[in-house]
Amino acid sequence: MNQQTRTARGDRRKSYAFAAVAVAATAVAGSRAVDADSDWYRKLDKPEWQPPSWAFGAVWTPLYASLAWAGGRGISRAAPTERTRLTAALGANLALNATWNHLFFRFRSPQAGLVGTALLDVSNALLIRRLALTDRTAAVALAPYAAWCLFATALNLSLVRRNRRR
């Protein structure tokens, strides 16, 4: 194996490691704000189609894994100028992802959460578009993540509508 091949493999590993650490940090930062057992949250009028609490962890775990994989793959395959833009898009997306939990649970504001999740949906579309320029497979891998976030937006909107007086 020549030096150029070793360097390329090392760069790929760094890209995947970077994405995995960034996504894991996002999951931790976001989860610290969640308190699904609080009186405030339990008293919210929730739609009958809201999944049970345990389902959120079951869904988010593979979604975060796909986000880390797609981010690492896209960053490792991007040209240097595109790599910077893609990394920034991923970072912005992860920041919005973690922020939603704080807006909704810590501030106890479904309205602020709705704004946050709508911004995350826009960020998802931009991230997928940017990934598609570099690696279509990585972009397609984010479709379930984007779909779940759209579902979360619909759920959040329902909570805003059903809890106008809270």
Side-chain angles (χ1 to χ4, degrees):
M1 178 181 319
N2 65 30
Q3 180 62 32
Q4 187 176 7
T5 303
R6 278 192 294 262
T7 301
R9 282 187 180 171
D11 288 347
R12 276 195 303 273
R13 287 184 186 130
K14 287 178 186 176
S15 296
Y16 282 103
F18 166 79
V21 168
V23 170
T26 297
V28 169
S31 69
R32 289 189 175 192
V34 175
D35 187 2
D37 293 326
S38 72
D39 286 340
W40 172 81
Y41 184 71
R42 283 186 303 192
K43 290 178 181 175
L44 289 177
D45 180 19
K46 299 174 194 73
E48 56 282 347
W49 48 274
Q50 177 170 323
S53 293
W54 63 264
F56 290 93
V59 170
W60 273 111
T61 300
L63 292 178
Y64 278 140
S66 68
L67 183 55
W69 179 84
R73 180 176 167 111
I75 291 168
S76 73
R77 292 173 180 232
T81 55
E82 183 58 26
R83 186 175 302 129
T84 300
R85 290 183 191 114
L86 181 55
T87 302
L90 177 62
N93 185 272
L94 295 176
L96 288 167
N97 181 298
T99 298
W100 178 86
N101 294 330
H102 293 272
L103 294 171
F104 187 90
F105 284 100
R106 183 136 315 151
F107 295 147
R108 296 182 176 191
S109 176
Q111 295 83 359
L114 182 59
V115 171
T117 193
L119 290 172
L120 179 59
D121 292 332
V122 171
S123 176
N124 288 339
L126 295 172
L127 179 59
I128 289 171
R129 182 174 174 258
R130 185 153 303 283
L131 267 172
L133 297 173
T134 299
D135 188 273
R136 188 165 173 78
T137 301
V140 170
L142 289 187
Y145 170 68
W148 179 260
C149 290
L150 286 170
F151 171 77
T153 301
L155 180 58
N156 201 147
L157 177 60
S158 177
L159 291 170
V160 167
R161 287 181 175 165
R162 296 169 76 100
N163 296 278
R164 290 190 190 274
R165 295 186 181 156
R166 292 181 194 253

